[in-house]
Amino acid sequence: MPNSKRKSKRVTCQKKYKILKKVAEFKKKARRAKKRNPSKKNRKDPGVPNSAPFKENILCEAERRKQIALDLKQAQKASRWKMQMENRGLDELVDEANRMEAEFEETPRATEEEILLKENVGLSHTLYKEFRSVIEDSDVVLEVLDARDPLGTRSSQIEELVINSGKKLVLVLNKIDLIPRKNLNDWLTYLRKSLPTVAFKASTQSQKNNLSRSKILATKLNEDLKASSPCFGASFLMKILGNYCRNHNIQTFIKVGVVGFPNVGKSSVINSLKRSRSCNVGATPGLTKTAQEVSLDKHIKILDSPGVVLAKNDDSIDLALRNVLKVETLKDVLTPAEAILKRADLQQLCLHYTLPEFSSPQELFCNLAKRMGRYKKGGIPNEKEGAKRLINDWNHGYIKYYTHPPEEHQPSPYISVAIVSEFAKAFDISAVEESMELDNAPELYSSRGVLAKSAETAEVDISDNVEDTMETDADSQKKMTVKFDSKKEKKDSGWDYKNLLEEFQQNKSVKKKYRKMKKNKKKVNKEALALSETLEGTLTI
């Protein structure tokens, strides 16, 4: 009977390494042969040697023949095209023209508002498509505004596009912890005349999960709550969205899109609603590049969108002071920095940076550069670095400011009375019982700061309660308040540090005694265990 067992393919190591060695030698010989006899494809043209006679004539003749070959190729192409057009006939050309015209008519064209928005948006085509997809896929759109400058971060083109597409629009006034209580009340009164507006303070915690969220109304913030890290206003916003689902009898879920300028806090709002860091956040403008969908609960899904920059309607100075553009990308940093000096009180500015008085903006920028140790060649202070420092302090909140609403409400042409009543009925803010009376809540800020103006008048409120008026550009139409916190003065926190120190020392001594007692107890137990083991050994013997 033949052996049915298969023969093993395993080889010895000696044979294996011998094969590998033969393969390596074969490849080495092939490489050497290729170097000695290169193929025509890889062979380089050696050219005409310098020692050859009539070298210039030879090169001219080669160039002439090359041009003749190129002309011949183009002539052949033109003759083929001519023959093809003669064979096609006039009827085929007419049919093709009619077909192309029909395709052009069937192609959907953008509306006038979409064309204007696309021209103004300072984004690439990919980011613009992401932004448009968020608006098209959403049932409700949240436009996030910076509470320090709501009108400056409000986009009329985006609002018109959202309303014309049949979507519901809600304004979210973020960063309310950076403005006083009275200013927040005035802005809510002004904005709610046109669209539903929600006050919001995003969570400032650094952890990834379990972000705290308070049920206290955002309009009830006082000095202590303002400095705390939990989120305020999220419960109120969730109730408003829940009212929308109930009023429209939505049994499944709704999609909520979040739009707005860069660095207004869109991703922070989403993280606070989700109570976890689902989206990347940072002070860098344009951090969000793509749309992202986050599920809040079984009824609400929220969409994050890239920031939109309306660069055509807005001045580059305003964009730089709203942290819309990176300071490193600005070609001119001196003009925005000078605009800050026009809006702030110069005396308080010197006290804030502990600098001597200056006669020109360039002198101030040079003094700031000296403080930072930034010099150019020859030991000259780099005034551009000083201007960048001032702009960065403005954008990162070290220089506090807030604007005032206009005295008269100016209705937008794309928001009619019917739209206002429809939105108010859809969300029913009054039913959520948010109180508009803020007199019982203490002030967010103390009365220390500088009132400056980027409009017709500007008030100055310094630590000695001295009032002054400054005039700035007549073109500006917004009142702005700029505040500088004094670094030298320390607020009385009400703590008795002497008693606290004594209690701390007592607690420290108690903890020390407890650790010593624990150590002695452990030592005694160890000795007792060793003694018991020796006794057991003697007894067994």
Side-chain angles (χ1 to χ4, degrees), residues 63-96:
E63 189 67 27
R64 186 180 66 81
R65 290 186 180 184
K66 188 177 179 181
Q67 187 64 33
I68 289 173
L70 185 62
D71 294 342
L72 181 61
K73 189 176 181 180
Q74 291 179 354
Q76 290 175 354
K77 187 177 180 181
S79 64
R80 285 196 301 270
W81 175 256
K82 185 178 179 180
M83 188 180 298
Q84 186 180 1
M85 296 301 292
E86 290 175 355
N87 294 334
R88 289 182 67 181
L90 186 61
D91 295 336
E92 294 183 4
L93 292 174
V94 172
D95 294 340
E96 186 177 356

PDB file of all heavy atoms in Angstrom, residues 63-96:
ATOM      1  N   GLU A  63      18.079  71.988 -33.044  1.00  0.00           N
ATOM      2  CA  GLU A  63      16.937  72.797 -32.619  1.00  0.00           C
ATOM      3  C   GLU A  63      15.952  73.010 -33.765  1.00  0.00           C
ATOM      4  O   GLU A  63      14.728  72.994 -33.572  1.00  0.00           O
ATOM      5  CB  GLU A  63      17.435  74.136 -32.063  1.00  0.00           C
ATOM      6  CG  GLU A  63      16.370  74.965 -31.393  1.00  0.00           C
ATOM      7  CD  GLU A  63      15.855  74.334 -30.121  1.00  0.00           C
ATOM      8  OE1 GLU A  63      16.605  73.571 -29.474  1.00  0.00           O
ATOM      9  OE2 GLU A  63      14.668  74.594 -29.779  1.00  0.00           O
ATOM     10  N   ARG A  64      16.496  73.189 -34.997  1.00  0.00           N
ATOM     11  CA  ARG A  64      15.624  73.423 -36.163  1.00  0.00           C
ATOM     12  C   ARG A  64      14.799  72.171 -36.470  1.00  0.00           C
ATOM     13  O   ARG A  64      13.609  72.244 -36.745  1.00  0.00           O
ATOM     14  CB  ARG A  64      16.489  73.809 -37.364  1.00  0.00           C
ATOM     15  CG  ARG A  64      15.688  74.224 -38.607  1.00  0.00           C
ATOM     16  CD  ARG A  64      16.631  74.596 -39.736  1.00  0.00           C
ATOM     17  NE  ARG A  64      17.381  73.423 -40.195  1.00  0.00           N
ATOM     18  CZ  ARG A  64      16.895  72.515 -41.046  1.00  0.00           C
ATOM     19  NH1 ARG A  64      15.677  72.624 -41.524  1.00  0.00           N
ATOM     20  NH2 ARG A  64      17.650  71.494 -41.429  1.00  0.00           N
ATOM     21  N   ARG A  65      15.433  71.017 -36.391  1.00  0.00           N
ATOM     22  CA  ARG A  65      14.713  69.777 -36.660  1.00  0.00           C
ATOM     23  C   ARG A  65      13.637  69.497 -35.595  1.00  0.00           C
ATOM     24  O   ARG A  65      12.555  68.984 -35.913  1.00  0.00           O
ATOM     25  CB  ARG A  65      15.702  68.609 -36.705  1.00  0.00           C
ATOM     26  CG  ARG A  65      16.619  68.627 -37.925  1.00  0.00           C
ATOM     27  CD  ARG A  65      17.462  67.360 -37.987  1.00  0.00           C
ATOM     28  NE  ARG A  65      18.343  67.375 -39.156  1.00  0.00           N
ATOM     29  CZ  ARG A  65      19.134  66.369 -39.507  1.00  0.00           C
ATOM     30  NH1 ARG A  65      19.163  65.269 -38.764  1.00  0.00           N
ATOM     31  NH2 ARG A  65      19.897  66.445 -40.585  1.00  0.00           N
ATOM     32  N   LYS A  66      13.944  69.867 -34.371  1.00  0.00           N
ATOM     33  CA  LYS A  66      12.964  69.699 -33.296  1.00  0.00           C
ATOM     34  C   LYS A  66      11.731  70.570 -33.533  1.00  0.00           C
ATOM     35  O   LYS A  66      10.585  70.142 -33.343  1.00  0.00           O
ATOM     36  CB  LYS A  66      13.616  70.051 -31.950  1.00  0.00           C
ATOM     37  CG  LYS A  66      12.764  69.742 -30.746  1.00  0.00           C
ATOM     38  CD  LYS A  66      13.529  70.051 -29.473  1.00  0.00           C
ATOM     39  CE  LYS A  66      12.689  69.770 -28.245  1.00  0.00           C
ATOM     40  NZ  LYS A  66      13.417  70.092 -27.000  1.00  0.00           N
ATOM     41  N   GLN A  67      11.942  71.824 -33.966  1.00  0.00           N
ATOM     42  CA  GLN A  67      10.837  72.732 -34.247  1.00  0.00           C
ATOM     43  C   GLN A  67      10.015  72.236 -35.440  1.00  0.00           C
ATOM     44  O   GLN A  67       8.777  72.347 -35.455  1.00  0.00           O
ATOM     45  CB  GLN A  67      11.392  74.144 -34.512  1.00  0.00           C
ATOM     46  CG  GLN A  67      10.325  75.211 -34.656  1.00  0.00           C
ATOM     47  CD  GLN A  67       9.538  75.404 -33.365  1.00  0.00           C
ATOM     48  OE1 GLN A  67      10.079  75.252 -32.271  1.00  0.00           O
ATOM     49  NE2 GLN A  67       8.263  75.715 -33.500  1.00  0.00           N
ATOM     50  N   ILE A  68      10.694  71.678 -36.462  1.00  0.00           N
ATOM     51  CA  ILE A  68       9.980  71.147 -37.633  1.00  0.00           C
ATOM     52  C   ILE A  68       9.071  69.992 -37.218  1.00  0.00           C
ATOM     53  O   ILE A  68       7.917  69.888 -37.667  1.00  0.00           O
ATOM     54  CB  ILE A  68      11.001  70.694 -38.707  1.00  0.00           C
ATOM     55  CG1 ILE A  68      11.678  71.926 -39.333  1.00  0.00           C
ATOM     56  CG2 ILE A  68      10.313  69.879 -39.793  1.00  0.00           C
ATOM     57  CD1 ILE A  68      12.819  71.577 -40.269  1.00  0.00           C
ATOM     58  N   ALA A  69       9.582  69.112 -36.347  1.00  0.00           N
ATOM     59  CA  ALA A  69       8.768  67.985 -35.876  1.00  0.00           C
ATOM     60  C   ALA A  69       7.543  68.462 -35.092  1.00  0.00           C
ATOM     61  O   ALA A  69       6.434  67.928 -35.227  1.00  0.00           O
ATOM     62  CB  ALA A  69       9.619  67.057 -35.020  1.00  0.00           C
ATOM     63  N   LEU A  70       7.729  69.530 -34.279  1.00  0.00           N
ATOM     64  CA  LEU A  70       6.614  70.072 -33.498  1.00  0.00           C
ATOM     65  C   LEU A  70       5.564  70.702 -34.405  1.00  0.00           C
ATOM     66  O   LEU A  70       4.344  70.509 -34.211  1.00  0.00           O
ATOM     67  CB  LEU A  70       7.149  71.089 -32.481  1.00  0.00           C
ATOM     68  CG  LEU A  70       6.141  71.679 -31.503  1.00  0.00           C
ATOM     69  CD1 LEU A  70       5.542  70.566 -30.634  1.00  0.00           C
ATOM     70  CD2 LEU A  70       6.787  72.725 -30.611  1.00  0.00           C
ATOM     71  N   ASP A  71       6.002  71.455 -35.404  1.00  0.00           N
ATOM     72  CA  ASP A  71       5.053  72.075 -36.341  1.00  0.00           C
ATOM     73  C   ASP A  71       4.288  71.023 -37.123  1.00  0.00           C
ATOM     74  O   ASP A  71       3.080  71.171 -37.387  1.00  0.00           O
ATOM     75  CB  ASP A  71       5.806  73.002 -37.297  1.00  0.00           C
ATOM     76  CG  ASP A  71       6.421  74.200 -36.578  1.00  0.00           C
ATOM     77  OD1 ASP A  71       5.978  74.475 -35.443  1.00  0.00           O
ATOM     78  OD2 ASP A  71       7.352  74.834 -37.124  1.00  0.00           O
ATOM     79  N   LEU A  72       4.980  69.955 -37.518  1.00  0.00           N
ATOM     80  CA  LEU A  72       4.326  68.885 -38.248  1.00  0.00           C
ATOM     81  C   LEU A  72       3.242  68.212 -37.409  1.00  0.00           C
ATOM     82  O   LEU A  72       2.153  67.893 -37.913  1.00  0.00           O
ATOM     83  CB  LEU A  72       5.374  67.859 -38.691  1.00  0.00           C
ATOM     84  CG  LEU A  72       4.857  66.658 -39.501  1.00  0.00           C
ATOM     85  CD1 LEU A  72       4.213  67.128 -40.800  1.00  0.00           C
ATOM     86  CD2 LEU A  72       5.983  65.678 -39.792  1.00  0.00           C
ATOM     87  N   LYS A  73       3.530  68.029 -36.111  1.00  0.00           N
ATOM     88  CA  LYS A  73       2.559  67.410 -35.218  1.00  0.00           C
ATOM     89  C   LYS A  73       1.318  68.276 -35.064  1.00  0.00           C
ATOM     90  O   LYS A  73       0.179  67.779 -35.079  1.00  0.00           O
ATOM     91  CB  LYS A  73       3.227  67.167 -33.857  1.00  0.00           C
ATOM     92  CG  LYS A  73       2.396  66.327 -32.909  1.00  0.00           C
ATOM     93  CD  LYS A  73       3.178  66.048 -31.637  1.00  0.00           C
ATOM     94  CE  LYS A  73       2.366  65.189 -30.699  1.00  0.00           C
ATOM     95  NZ  LYS A  73       3.100  64.899 -29.443  1.00  0.00           N
ATOM     96  N   GLN A  74       1.498  69.610 -34.915  1.00  0.00           N
ATOM     97  CA  GLN A  74       0.361  70.516 -34.792  1.00  0.00           C
ATOM     98  C   GLN A  74      -0.454  70.571 -36.085  1.00  0.00           C
ATOM     99  O   GLN A  74      -1.687  70.664 -36.059  1.00  0.00           O
ATOM    100  CB  GLN A  74       0.860  71.907 -34.409  1.00  0.00           C
ATOM    101  CG  GLN A  74       1.426  71.986 -32.995  1.00  0.00           C
ATOM    102  CD  GLN A  74       1.933  73.367 -32.656  1.00  0.00           C
ATOM    103  OE1 GLN A  74       1.967  74.247 -33.538  1.00  0.00           O
ATOM    104  NE2 GLN A  74       2.343  73.560 -31.399  1.00  0.00           N
ATOM    105  N   ALA A  75       0.230  70.529 -37.231  1.00  0.00           N
ATOM    106  CA  ALA A  75      -0.484  70.548 -38.510  1.00  0.00           C
ATOM    107  C   ALA A  75      -1.328  69.294 -38.678  1.00  0.00           C
ATOM    108  O   ALA A  75      -2.468  69.360 -39.170  1.00  0.00           O
ATOM    109  CB  ALA A  75       0.526  70.678 -39.652  1.00  0.00           C
ATOM    110  N   GLN A  76      -0.797  68.145 -38.270  1.00  0.00           N
ATOM    111  CA  GLN A  76      -1.566  66.914 -38.360  1.00  0.00           C
ATOM    112  C   GLN A  76      -2.804  66.955 -37.454  1.00  0.00           C
ATOM    113  O   GLN A  76      -3.887  66.495 -37.828  1.00  0.00           O
ATOM    114  CB  GLN A  76      -0.678  65.729 -37.983  1.00  0.00           C
ATOM    115  CG  GLN A  76       0.395  65.406 -39.003  1.00  0.00           C
ATOM    116  CD  GLN A  76       1.325  64.310 -38.532  1.00  0.00           C
ATOM    117  OE1 GLN A  76       1.227  63.871 -37.379  1.00  0.00           O
ATOM    118  NE2 GLN A  76       2.243  63.876 -39.409  1.00  0.00           N
ATOM    119  N   LYS A  77      -2.641  67.518 -36.260  1.00  0.00           N
ATOM    120  CA  LYS A  77      -3.769  67.636 -35.342  1.00  0.00           C
ATOM    121  C   LYS A  77      -4.849  68.546 -35.910  1.00  0.00           C
ATOM    122  O   LYS A  77      -6.055  68.250 -35.822  1.00  0.00           O
ATOM    123  CB  LYS A  77      -3.261  68.171 -33.991  1.00  0.00           C
ATOM    124  CG  LYS A  77      -4.300  68.172 -32.895  1.00  0.00           C
ATOM    125  CD  LYS A  77      -3.695  68.638 -31.584  1.00  0.00           C
ATOM    126  CE  LYS A  77      -4.737  68.649 -30.480  1.00  0.00           C
ATOM    127  NZ  LYS A  77      -4.159  69.130 -29.193  1.00  0.00           N
ATOM    128  N   ALA A  78      -4.435  69.681 -36.512  1.00  0.00           N
ATOM    129  CA  ALA A  78      -5.408  70.605 -37.099  1.00  0.00           C
ATOM    130  C   ALA A  78      -6.128  69.973 -38.285  1.00  0.00           C
ATOM    131  O   ALA A  78      -7.344  70.162 -38.465  1.00  0.00           O
ATOM    132  CB  ALA A  78      -4.688  71.882 -37.534  1.00  0.00           C
ATOM    133  N   SER A  79      -5.421  69.188 -39.091  1.00  0.00           N
ATOM    134  CA  SER A  79      -6.066  68.550 -40.245  1.00  0.00           C
ATOM    135  C   SER A  79      -7.069  67.492 -39.795  1.00  0.00           C
ATOM    136  O   SER A  79      -8.156  67.352 -40.384  1.00  0.00           O
ATOM    137  CB  SER A  79      -4.994  67.929 -41.143  1.00  0.00           C
ATOM    138  OG  SER A  79      -4.317  66.888 -40.464  1.00  0.00           O
ATOM    139  N   ARG A  80      -6.761  66.753 -38.725  1.00  0.00           N
ATOM    140  CA  ARG A  80      -7.699  65.764 -38.209  1.00  0.00           C
ATOM    141  C   ARG A  80      -8.966  66.436 -37.684  1.00  0.00           C
ATOM    142  O   ARG A  80     -10.074  65.951 -37.879  1.00  0.00           O
ATOM    143  CB  ARG A  80      -7.036  64.930 -37.108  1.00  0.00           C
ATOM    144  CG  ARG A  80      -6.038  63.907 -37.610  1.00  0.00           C
ATOM    145  CD  ARG A  80      -5.722  62.869 -36.548  1.00  0.00           C
ATOM    146  NE  ARG A  80      -5.171  63.455 -35.342  1.00  0.00           N
ATOM    147  CZ  ARG A  80      -3.885  63.648 -35.123  1.00  0.00           C
ATOM    148  NH1 ARG A  80      -2.989  63.274 -36.041  1.00  0.00           N
ATOM    149  NH2 ARG A  80      -3.468  64.177 -33.998  1.00  0.00           N
ATOM    150  N   TRP A  81      -8.793  67.565 -36.957  1.00  0.00           N
ATOM    151  CA  TRP A  81      -9.954  68.309 -36.435  1.00  0.00           C
ATOM    152  C   TRP A  81     -10.835  68.843 -37.562  1.00  0.00           C
ATOM    153  O   TRP A  81     -12.068  68.789 -37.492  1.00  0.00           O
ATOM    154  CB  TRP A  81      -9.461  69.435 -35.545  1.00  0.00           C
ATOM    155  CG  TRP A  81     -10.550  70.347 -35.053  1.00  0.00           C
ATOM    156  CD1 TRP A  81     -10.843  71.592 -35.480  1.00  0.00           C
ATOM    157  CD2 TRP A  81     -11.504  70.050 -34.036  1.00  0.00           C
ATOM    158  NE1 TRP A  81     -11.886  72.117 -34.811  1.00  0.00           N
ATOM    159  CE2 TRP A  81     -12.339  71.168 -33.901  1.00  0.00           C
ATOM    160  CE3 TRP A  81     -11.731  68.931 -33.230  1.00  0.00           C
ATOM    161  CZ2 TRP A  81     -13.377  71.226 -33.002  1.00  0.00           C
ATOM    162  CZ3 TRP A  81     -12.775  68.986 -32.335  1.00  0.00           C
ATOM    163  CH2 TRP A  81     -13.591  70.115 -32.211  1.00  0.00           C
ATOM    164  N   LYS A  82     -10.193  69.331 -38.653  1.00  0.00           N
ATOM    165  CA  LYS A  82     -10.935  69.853 -39.794  1.00  0.00           C
ATOM    166  C   LYS A  82     -11.728  68.738 -40.479  1.00  0.00           C
ATOM    167  O   LYS A  82     -12.905  68.907 -40.827  1.00  0.00           O
ATOM    168  CB  LYS A  82      -9.965  70.498 -40.776  1.00  0.00           C
ATOM    169  CG  LYS A  82     -10.649  71.178 -41.944  1.00  0.00           C
ATOM    170  CD  LYS A  82      -9.619  71.835 -42.848  1.00  0.00           C
ATOM    171  CE  LYS A  82     -10.310  72.508 -44.033  1.00  0.00           C
ATOM    172  NZ  LYS A  82      -9.318  73.147 -44.934  1.00  0.00           N
ATOM    173  N   MET A  83     -11.117  67.586 -40.651  1.00  0.00           N
ATOM    174  CA  MET A  83     -11.793  66.456 -41.281  1.00  0.00           C
ATOM    175  C   MET A  83     -12.964  65.973 -40.422  1.00  0.00           C
ATOM    176  O   MET A  83     -14.042  65.623 -40.931  1.00  0.00           O
ATOM    177  CB  MET A  83     -10.793  65.325 -41.499  1.00  0.00           C
ATOM    178  CG  MET A  83     -11.331  64.162 -42.332  1.00  0.00           C
ATOM    179  SD  MET A  83     -10.071  62.878 -42.526  1.00  0.00           S
ATOM    180  CE  MET A  83      -8.820  63.784 -43.413  1.00  0.00           C
ATOM    181  N   GLN A  84     -12.768  66.003 -39.085  1.00  0.00           N
ATOM    182  CA  GLN A  84     -13.826  65.572 -38.177  1.00  0.00           C
ATOM    183  C   GLN A  84     -15.023  66.511 -38.239  1.00  0.00           C
ATOM    184  O   GLN A  84     -16.182  66.065 -38.249  1.00  0.00           O
ATOM    185  CB  GLN A  84     -13.280  65.500 -36.746  1.00  0.00           C
ATOM    186  CG  GLN A  84     -14.253  64.931 -35.727  1.00  0.00           C
ATOM    187  CD  GLN A  84     -13.658  64.893 -34.335  1.00  0.00           C
ATOM    188  OE1 GLN A  84     -12.517  65.311 -34.145  1.00  0.00           O
ATOM    189  NE2 GLN A  84     -14.404  64.398 -33.385  1.00  0.00           N
ATOM    190  N   MET A  85     -14.782  67.826 -38.298  1.00  0.00           N
ATOM    191  CA  MET A  85     -15.866  68.802 -38.386  1.00  0.00           C
ATOM    192  C   MET A  85     -16.607  68.689 -39.710  1.00  0.00           C
ATOM    193  O   MET A  85     -17.836  68.889 -39.771  1.00  0.00           O
ATOM    194  CB  MET A  85     -15.304  70.212 -38.209  1.00  0.00           C
ATOM    195  CG  MET A  85     -14.699  70.479 -36.837  1.00  0.00           C
ATOM    196  SD  MET A  85     -15.871  70.268 -35.480  1.00  0.00           S
ATOM    197  CE  MET A  85     -16.957  71.643 -35.812  1.00  0.00           C
ATOM    198  N   GLU A  86     -15.885  68.397 -40.817  1.00  0.00           N
ATOM    199  CA  GLU A  86     -16.550  68.227 -42.106  1.00  0.00           C
ATOM    200  C   GLU A  86     -17.445  67.006 -42.123  1.00  0.00           C
ATOM    201  O   GLU A  86     -18.530  67.019 -42.733  1.00  0.00           O
ATOM    202  CB  GLU A  86     -15.500  68.125 -43.219  1.00  0.00           C
ATOM    203  CG  GLU A  86     -14.769  69.434 -43.495  1.00  0.00           C
ATOM    204  CD  GLU A  86     -13.667  69.259 -44.520  1.00  0.00           C
ATOM    205  OE1 GLU A  86     -13.434  68.091 -44.919  1.00  0.00           O
ATOM    206  OE2 GLU A  86     -13.040  70.269 -44.894  1.00  0.00           O
ATOM    207  N   ASN A  87     -17.024  65.943 -41.459  1.00  0.00           N
ATOM    208  CA  ASN A  87     -17.821  64.715 -41.451  1.00  0.00           C
ATOM    209  C   ASN A  87     -19.042  64.822 -40.538  1.00  0.00           C
ATOM    210  O   ASN A  87     -20.028  64.108 -40.741  1.00  0.00           O
ATOM    211  CB  ASN A  87     -16.955  63.534 -41.011  1.00  0.00           C
ATOM    212  CG  ASN A  87     -15.853  63.236 -42.012  1.00  0.00           C
ATOM    213  OD1 ASN A  87     -15.989  63.546 -43.202  1.00  0.00           O
ATOM    214  ND2 ASN A  87     -14.766  62.648 -41.538  1.00  0.00           N
ATOM    215  N   ARG A  88     -18.966  65.680 -39.505  1.00  0.00           N
ATOM    216  CA  ARG A  88     -20.071  65.775 -38.553  1.00  0.00           C
ATOM    217  C   ARG A  88     -21.302  66.400 -39.191  1.00  0.00           C
ATOM    218  O   ARG A  88     -22.423  65.971 -38.968  1.00  0.00           O
ATOM    219  CB  ARG A  88     -19.656  66.591 -37.323  1.00  0.00           C
ATOM    220  CG  ARG A  88     -18.674  65.872 -36.424  1.00  0.00           C
ATOM    221  CD  ARG A  88     -18.339  66.681 -35.216  1.00  0.00           C
ATOM    222  NE  ARG A  88     -19.495  66.829 -34.335  1.00  0.00           N
ATOM    223  CZ  ARG A  88     -19.476  67.506 -33.203  1.00  0.00           C
ATOM    224  NH1 ARG A  88     -18.374  68.128 -32.839  1.00  0.00           N
ATOM    225  NH2 ARG A  88     -20.548  67.589 -32.454  1.00  0.00           N
ATOM    226  N   GLY A  89     -21.148  67.465 -39.887  1.00  0.00           N
ATOM    227  CA  GLY A  89     -22.288  68.120 -40.498  1.00  0.00           C
ATOM    228  C   GLY A  89     -22.910  69.163 -39.593  1.00  0.00           C
ATOM    229  O   GLY A  89     -22.659  69.231 -38.389  1.00  0.00           O
ATOM    230  N   LEU A  90     -23.775  70.006 -40.162  1.00  0.00           N
ATOM    231  CA  LEU A  90     -24.388  71.119 -39.433  1.00  0.00           C
ATOM    232  C   LEU A  90     -25.468  70.647 -38.474  1.00  0.00           C
ATOM    233  O   LEU A  90     -25.657  71.222 -37.395  1.00  0.00           O
ATOM    234  CB  LEU A  90     -24.967  72.127 -40.434  1.00  0.00           C
ATOM    235  CG  LEU A  90     -25.512  73.429 -39.855  1.00  0.00           C
ATOM    236  CD1 LEU A  90     -24.403  74.190 -39.134  1.00  0.00           C
ATOM    237  CD2 LEU A  90     -26.126  74.288 -40.947  1.00  0.00           C
ATOM    238  N   ASP A  91     -26.184  69.601 -38.825  1.00  0.00           N
ATOM    239  CA  ASP A  91     -27.278  69.125 -37.978  1.00  0.00           C
ATOM    240  C   ASP A  91     -26.774  68.631 -36.624  1.00  0.00           C
ATOM    241  O   ASP A  91     -27.394  68.876 -35.579  1.00  0.00           O
ATOM    242  CB  ASP A  91     -28.030  67.997 -38.686  1.00  0.00           C
ATOM    243  CG  ASP A  91     -28.720  68.494 -39.957  1.00  0.00           C
ATOM    244  OD1 ASP A  91     -28.990  69.716 -40.019  1.00  0.00           O
ATOM    245  OD2 ASP A  91     -28.962  67.668 -40.861  1.00  0.00           O
ATOM    246  N   GLU A  92     -25.641  67.922 -36.629  1.00  0.00           N
ATOM    247  CA  GLU A  92     -25.089  67.425 -35.372  1.00  0.00           C
ATOM    248  C   GLU A  92     -24.656  68.572 -34.461  1.00  0.00           C
ATOM    249  O   GLU A  92     -24.835  68.521 -33.243  1.00  0.00           O
ATOM    250  CB  GLU A  92     -23.913  66.500 -35.653  1.00  0.00           C
ATOM    251  CG  GLU A  92     -24.302  65.207 -36.361  1.00  0.00           C
ATOM    252  CD  GLU A  92     -23.108  64.297 -36.559  1.00  0.00           C
ATOM    253  OE1 GLU A  92     -22.023  64.666 -36.064  1.00  0.00           O
ATOM    254  OE2 GLU A  92     -23.255  63.239 -37.182  1.00  0.00           O
ATOM    255  N   LEU A  93     -24.083  69.619 -35.049  1.00  0.00           N
ATOM    256  CA  LEU A  93     -23.679  70.779 -34.255  1.00  0.00           C
ATOM    257  C   LEU A  93     -24.883  71.461 -33.617  1.00  0.00           C
ATOM    258  O   LEU A  93     -24.846  71.885 -32.446  1.00  0.00           O
ATOM    259  CB  LEU A  93     -22.913  71.773 -35.129  1.00  0.00           C
ATOM    260  CG  LEU A  93     -21.540  71.327 -35.632  1.00  0.00           C
ATOM    261  CD1 LEU A  93     -20.972  72.360 -36.593  1.00  0.00           C
ATOM    262  CD2 LEU A  93     -20.596  71.114 -34.476  1.00  0.00           C
ATOM    263  N   VAL A  94     -25.982  71.579 -34.359  1.00  0.00           N
ATOM    264  CA  VAL A  94     -27.193  72.208 -33.819  1.00  0.00           C
ATOM    265  C   VAL A  94     -27.767  71.372 -32.674  1.00  0.00           C
ATOM    266  O   VAL A  94     -28.178  71.896 -31.634  1.00  0.00           O
ATOM    267  CB  VAL A  94     -28.228  72.406 -34.945  1.00  0.00           C
ATOM    268  CG1 VAL A  94     -29.559  72.885 -34.370  1.00  0.00           C
ATOM    269  CG2 VAL A  94     -27.709  73.409 -35.969  1.00  0.00           C
ATOM    270  N   ASP A  95     -27.795  70.048 -32.854  1.00  0.00           N
ATOM    271  CA  ASP A  95     -28.314  69.164 -31.804  1.00  0.00           C
ATOM    272  C   ASP A  95     -27.473  69.243 -30.528  1.00  0.00           C
ATOM    273  O   ASP A  95     -28.007  69.277 -29.408  1.00  0.00           O
ATOM    274  CB  ASP A  95     -28.346  67.717 -32.307  1.00  0.00           C
ATOM    275  CG  ASP A  95     -29.343  67.542 -33.442  1.00  0.00           C
ATOM    276  OD1 ASP A  95     -30.247  68.401 -33.563  1.00  0.00           O
ATOM    277  OD2 ASP A  95     -29.194  66.561 -34.205  1.00  0.00           O
ATOM    278  N   GLU A  96     -26.163  69.294 -30.702  1.00  0.00           N
ATOM    279  CA  GLU A  96     -25.288  69.392 -29.516  1.00  0.00           C
ATOM    280  C   GLU A  96     -25.469  70.722 -28.801  1.00  0.00           C
ATOM    281  O   GLU A  96     -25.472  70.775 -27.560  1.00  0.00           O
ATOM    282  CB  GLU A  96     -23.837  69.219 -29.950  1.00  0.00           C
ATOM    283  CG  GLU A  96     -22.868  69.168 -28.776  1.00  0.00           C
ATOM    284  CD  GLU A  96     -21.439  68.916 -29.208  1.00  0.00           C
ATOM    285  OE1 GLU A  96     -21.211  68.698 -30.413  1.00  0.00           O
ATOM    286  OE2 GLU A  96     -20.564  68.931 -28.329  1.00  0.00           O
TER     287      GLU A  96
END
